């Protein structure tokens, strides 16, 4: 009987059951909540406590944020508006009238109001110039020429003066390149590079000013000049940050290569510079730029304070940038260097085509972090008397109409910095995804 039963029972299914939908509690919003917020009793308790804390914070902040005081002209008027609504107390509501009254000053400082179009144009052209560099897939390759010319156009738009000055500065680059080709063909690339830098510096420091004035006296082309003391607000922070970021990256690359060089003098100079700058706080360098630097300059020399700050901020950021890039170079396998040698490439060709692109890709998070830190550090210039947004906030609070305003001003300034810093961090994530070549 058992043998007959064994022959009639099948152990392999010959028909498939119809496919069923997954349980509603494991998919969609409910499934996500169960998996991420209520996966266990401890996780559920933490979720409930977090929701209670978020409710408590929002219940205190949202009424303060949505305060109908935009049209107020003083702190006392803000308090009267809130008192009429039955909202008493120091934190009963924000006084947004100060932002309506002073937002232009927080953005442009004391820049002449009739010339606001110049910093606005410079800011718009900044995004146009960054387009071919940051989003090369969406912009024509020919626009890279405008990106190369923008560093000379932006100072002219902001400070004004003769058009011949930026033109002669560009000519200095051509002179440096010509000197490099001549000297490098005779003695080598290193000597050519040193000679090119010296020739360009001599041209810019000693020749551009007098020659520009001479040409301008014959052919007067230019726009109204604006003194640096009129610069302020977020425009000042953006100017210092953009210029320092743009220059610190190539300078950091050069310092990183110099620190890994086999040439003793070059390596010693780069190591000394990097370690000295990294061992000194930025605020110390800014004090040197604002006070001590004039002591070592010839009598009667007018060295613009904003230019001095930009130089110090650039040197400070380039030292940290050099270490970030050096880490990327050290992370590359030895086979990449050997592969470049096997192709018969010289040092600069291998760095440009094989080594440096990979090192920069590895270093993207550190590079962007250095950029963000540098941009936020521009607020330190308020300590040396420059009226960046924080410096202007102190001046605004000194006005009797707005004496006592704190959170509204600092919140508005924090929002401006957050927008730019968050944008840089998001672009870094986009660039990492774009350059991703390995398996996830």
């Amino acid at each position: 009987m058992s043998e007959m039963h064994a022959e009639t029972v099948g152990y392999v299914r010959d028909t498939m059951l119809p496919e069923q939908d997954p349980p509603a509690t494991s998919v969609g919003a409910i499934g996500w909540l169960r998996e991420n917020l209520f996966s266990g009793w401890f996780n559920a308790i933490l979720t409930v406590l977090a929701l209670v804390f978020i409710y408590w914070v929002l219940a205190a902040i949202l009424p303060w944020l949505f305060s109908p005081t935009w049209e107020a002209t003083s702190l006392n008027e803000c308090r009267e508006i809130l008192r009429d609504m039955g909202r008493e107390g120091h934190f009963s509501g924000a006084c947004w009238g100060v932002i309506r009254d002073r937002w232009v000053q927080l953005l442009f400082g004391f820049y002449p109001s009739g010339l606001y179009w110049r910093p606005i144009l410079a800011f718009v052209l900044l995004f146009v110039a960054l387009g071919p560099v940051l989003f090369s897939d969406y912009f024509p390759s020919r626009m890279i020429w405008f990106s190369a010319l923008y560093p000379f156009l932006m100072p002219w738009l902001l400070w004004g003066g003769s058009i011949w000055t930026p033109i002669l500065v560009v000519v200095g680059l051509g002179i440096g390149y010509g000197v490099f080709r001549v000297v490098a063909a005779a003695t080598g690339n290193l000597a050519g590079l040193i000679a090119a830098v010296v020739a360009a510096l001599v041209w810019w420091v000693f020749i551009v000013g007098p020659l520009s004035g001479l040409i301008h006296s014959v052919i007067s082309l230019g726009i109204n000049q604006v003194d640096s003391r009129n610069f302020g607000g977020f425009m000042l922070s953006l100017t210092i940050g953009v210029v320092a970021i743009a220059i610190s990256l190539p300078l950091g690359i050069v310092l990183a290569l110099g620190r890994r060089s086999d040439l003793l003098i070059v390596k010693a100079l780069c190591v000394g510079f990097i370690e000295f700058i990294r061992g000194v706080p930025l605020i110390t360098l800014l004090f040197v730029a604002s006070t001590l630097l004039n002591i070592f300059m010839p009598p009667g020399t007018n060295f613009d304070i904003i230019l001095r700050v930009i130089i110090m901020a650039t040197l400070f950021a380039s030292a940290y940038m050099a270490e970030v890039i050096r880490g990327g170079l050290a992370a590359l396998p030895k086979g990449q260097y050997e592969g470049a040698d096997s192709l018969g490439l010289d040092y600069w060709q291998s760095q440009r085509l094989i080594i440096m692109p990979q090192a920069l890709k590895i270093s993207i998070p550190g590079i962007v972090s250095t950029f963000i830190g540098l941009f936020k550090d521009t607020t330190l210039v308020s300590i040396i008397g420059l009226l960046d947004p924080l410096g202007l906030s102190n001046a605004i609070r000194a006005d009797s109409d707005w004496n006592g305003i704190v959170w509204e001003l600092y919140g508005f300034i924090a929002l401006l910095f957050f927008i730019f810093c968050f944008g840089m961090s998001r672009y870094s994530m986009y660039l990492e995804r774009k350059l991703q070549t390995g398996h996830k």
Side-chain angles (χ1 to χ4, degrees):
M1 183 67 181
S2 60
E3 295 179 357
M4 183 181 298
H5 179 72
E7 293 177 356
T8 58
V9 176
Y11 290 95
V12 179
R13 183 185 298 277
D14 56 0
T15 60
M16 299 299 295
L17 294 176
E19 184 177 328
Q20 297 182 355
D21 295 332
T25 57
S26 63
V27 296
I30 297 178
W32 183 89
L33 290 173
R34 288 192 61 185
E35 180 181 356
N36 296 278
L37 301 181
F38 299 96
S39 58
W41 66 269
F42 185 70
N43 200 6
I45 293 176
L46 292 179
T47 299
V48 173
L49 292 177
L51 290 175
V52 171
F53 177 74
I54 292 173
Y55 173 79
W56 176 72
V57 172
L58 292 181
I61 292 180
L62 290 181
W64 183 84
L65 286 176
F66 294 99
S67 175
T69 55
W70 186 258
E71 298 297 330
T73 58
S74 66
L75 179 58
N76 291 330
E77 187 173 342
C78 288
R79 291 172 176 171
E80 291 177 1
I81 294 174
L82 295 173
R83 190 180 302 112
D84 293 339
M85 297 177 60
R87 296 165 64 174
E88 298 284 347
H90 185 66
F91 293 101
S92 59
C95 185
W96 297 121
V98 64
I99 305 300
R100 180 196 60 81
D101 186 44
R102 298 299 182 96
W103 71 272
V104 175
Q105 187 178 15
L106 287 171
L107 292 181
F108 298 101
F110 299 100
Y111 206 84
S113 58
L115 302 178
Y116 282 163
W117 65 270
R118 283 163 47 176
I120 293 174
L121 179 60
F123 181 73
V124 172
L125 293 180
L126 171 64
F127 286 96
V128 177
L130 290 177
V133 178
L134 303 182
F135 305 98
S136 57
D137 297 338
Y138 306 100
F139 287 82
S141 58
R142 296 187 300 271
M143 288 187 63
I144 197 66
W145 288 105
F146 178 77
S147 302
L149 292 175
Y150 179 78
F152 309 97
L153 177 63
M154 184 192 75
W156 179 68
L157 283 174
L158 294 179
W159 276 273
S162 173
I163 187 63
W164 303 111
T165 300
I167 293 177
L168 291 177
V169 172
V170 176
V171 171
L173 293 178
I175 293 174
Y177 179 73
V179 171
F180 171 78
R181 294 296 299 270
V182 172
V183 177
T187 59
N189 289 334
L190 180 59
L193 181 61
I194 295 174
V197 171
V198 172
L201 290 176
V202 170
W203 173 266
W204 290 332
V205 174
F206 298 103
I207 300 178
V208 167
L211 185 58
S212 174
L214 178 61
I215 299 177
H216 187 71
S217 63
V218 178
I219 305 176
S220 179
L221 291 177
I223 54 181
N224 294 335
Q225 190 168 355
V226 178
D227 294 334
S228 293
R229 65 174 180 270
N230 294 324
F231 280 57
F234 198 69
M235 182 188 71
L236 177 62
S237 297
L238 196 62
T239 301
I240 297 173
V242 168
V243 176
I245 286 172
I247 301 178
S248 64
L249 180 58
L251 188 56
I253 293 174
V254 173
L255 289 171
L257 294 177
R259 182 159 190 169
R260 293 171 57 88
S261 175
D262 295 330
L263 300 174
L264 180 60
I265 297 179
V266 173
K267 183 176 183 179
L269 290 175
C270 292
V271 170
F273 174 82
I274 292 172
E275 296 303 327
F276 172 76
I277 294 295
R278 293 175 69 220
V280 178
L282 176 58
I283 187 60
T284 303
L285 298 177
L286 295 179
F287 274 121
V288 171
S290 63
T291 58
L292 299 180
L293 198 59
N294 278 339
I295 299 176
F296 301 98
M297 301 297 293
T301 302
N302 184 18
F303 198 179
D304 190 88
I305 179 62
I306 296 180
L307 180 59
R308 284 180 271 163
V309 169
I310 289 175
I311 292 174
M312 289 300 180
T314 302
L315 296 179
F316 182 82
S318 63
Y320 284 87
M321 191 67 64
E323 290 299 280
V324 171
I325 296 171
R326 187 170 70 93
L329 292 171
L332 288 181
K334 187 178 180 181
Q336 298 296 322
Y337 296 89
E338 295 174 346
D341 294 336
S342 67
L343 293 175
L345 302 177
D346 61 23
Y347 176 80
W348 295 108
Q349 288 175 333
S350 63
Q351 291 292 337
R352 180 171 59 89
L353 299 175
I354 296 178
I355 305 301
M356 194 53 66
Q358 298 182 75
L360 292 178
K361 173 187 170 183
I362 296 172
S363 306
I364 286 175
I367 291 174
V368 175
S369 296
T370 305
F371 285 167
I372 292 175
L374 173 61
F375 186 62
K376 292 188 294 184
D377 284 343
T378 57
T379 56
L380 293 175
V381 301
S382 61
I383 300 177
I384 61 173
L386 293 181
L387 294 178
D388 75 315
L390 289 182
L392 280 175
S393 69
N394 295 329
I396 292 172
R397 289 189 290 114
D399 189 343
S400 59
D401 289 335
W402 305 114
N403 190 5
I405 295 290
V406 178
W407 295 102
E408 294 84 348
L409 290 171
Y410 288 161
F412 180 72
I413 295 169
L415 178 63
L416 294 178
F417 276 95
F418 173 78
I419 292 173
F420 280 86
C421 294
F422 182 73
M424 285 189 279
S425 66
R426 298 302 298 179
Y427 175 76
S428 120
M429 297 173 64
Y430 157 79
L431 193 59
E432 288 184 60
R433 291 193 300 268
K434 178 181 176 181
L435 300 178
Q436 180 66 38
T437 56
H439 298 286
K440 295 183 179 180

